[in-house]
Amino acid sequence: MSLSDDQKRERIARRIAKELRDGYYVNLGIGMPTLVANYVPAGMDVILQSENGMLGVGPYPLEAEVDPDLINAGKETVTELPGTCYFSSADSFAMIRGSHVDLTVLGALQVDEKGTLANWAIPGKMLKGMGGAMDLVAGAKRVFIAMEHATRDNKPKILKKCTLPLTGVEVVDHIVTELAFIDVTPQGLVLRELAPDATLEQVQSLTEPKLNLPANGPAVMPV
């Protein structure tokens, strides 16, 4: 049975949350990446940063907890954790550009086999701006992409070469989709994990470049 859009997003966010570690400073991009905040493992001390000037972002609020003054960079209401601090956008970007962010999770329109990212513009469509993506891919120590594996019409989003306006060149470390966990390496894309309801043939058919396999084959992606 095929997954709903919400199930795909939840699977991707849950898998990326397993890559978090105690003491990490993490920036979650607009859209699907913000869901990662809901799946931070219990007891783990992770500090989430939002580029509009908030350090200590909590999960999405319940209806009774909504505070319209607490928003993330995507203008969504969030919660604050004990010790949360607030600062200017200039200070926030100094934190990003100074490589003080351990890990960032971003959405994508396209990623290529060398880890080049396009995620901010489609020619001919109205733009809201690039946000902090260009700074994040340049400044964060590790870059994760959270996205559905293919477009609505089943065209690959993982390409040999990006065709849309670029966000950063050779900046992505890992790609997580509802079908697979893929590492970007100097030797090419490595299929590290395969979802239990996906096949290698299916994933390769939806991926333009050839996927390399680990010595013992891909592990089963926890879902």
Side-chain angles (χ1 to χ4, degrees):
M1 187 173 69
S2 61
L3 299 175
S4 68
D5 289 346
D6 285 345
Q7 288 172 324
K8 290 177 184 178
R9 290 159 60 90
E10 179 182 345
R11 175 181 287 188
I12 294 164
R14 282 184 181 277
R15 179 60 191 88
I16 292 176
K18 294 180 183 296
E19 296 296 306
L20 305 179
R21 298 292 182 268
D22 273 320
Y24 270 16
Y25 288 88
V26 177
N27 180 287
L28 302 178
I30 294 170
M32 191 190 308
T34 59
L35 295 175
V36 174
N38 289 339
Y39 304 110
V40 175
M44 184 174 287
D45 184 20
V46 170
I47 302 93
L48 300 181
Q49 188 248 22
S50 183
E51 62 258 35
N52 59 326
M54 185 176 180
L55 189 63
V57 180
Y60 285 119
L62 301 173
E63 188 173 349
E65 300 173 323
V66 170
D67 181 342
D69 291 326
L70 292 182
I71 61 170
N72 61 20
K75 302 180 178 62
E76 300 170 307
T77 53
V78 293
T79 56
E80 59 180 1
L81 299 178
T84 295
C85 58
Y86 301 91
F87 35 85
S88 72
S89 180
D91 288 330
S92 183
F93 275 88
M95 184 184 300
I96 294 167
R97 293 167 183 166
S99 295
H100 301 293
V101 173
D102 295 292
L103 184 153
T104 187
V105 185
L106 299 171
L109 297 167
Q110 296 176 341
V111 184
D112 76 13
E113 61 186 345
K114 294 185 179 297
T116 294
L117 171 66
N119 79 341
W120 73 280
I122 299 176
K125 293 196 174 182
M126 187 175 71
L127 301 178
K128 292 184 178 180
M130 67 188 71
M134 289 186 178
D135 295 274
L136 285 162
V137 297
K141 294 173 185 173
R142 290 171 74 197
V143 176
F144 275 78
I145 295 302
M147 69 176 189
E148 291 188 23
H149 204 95
T151 65
R152 293 285 183 186
D153 53 355
N154 276 331
K155 297 290 174 51
K157 295 172 72 173
I158 303 172
L159 306 173
K160 291 182 179 178
K161 190 174 181 64
C162 293
T163 59
L164 295 174
L166 301 182
T167 305
V169 176
E170 298 183 18
V171 292
V172 174
D173 297 297
H174 312 279
I175 306 165
V176 181
T177 76
E178 78 280 11
L179 301 179
F181 189 122
I182 297 169
D183 291 331
V184 182
T185 77
Q187 290 74 41
L189 301 179
V190 176
L191 181 61
R192 179 166 136 192
E193 296 176 0
L194 185 65
D197 50 1
T199 66
L200 177 58
E201 292 75 20
Q202 175 192 15
V203 173
Q204 184 62 76
S205 72
L206 295 172
T207 308
E208 193 173 82
K210 178 176 172 51
L211 293 169
N212 299 314
L213 302 180
N216 296 321
V220 177
M221 187 168 78
V223 296

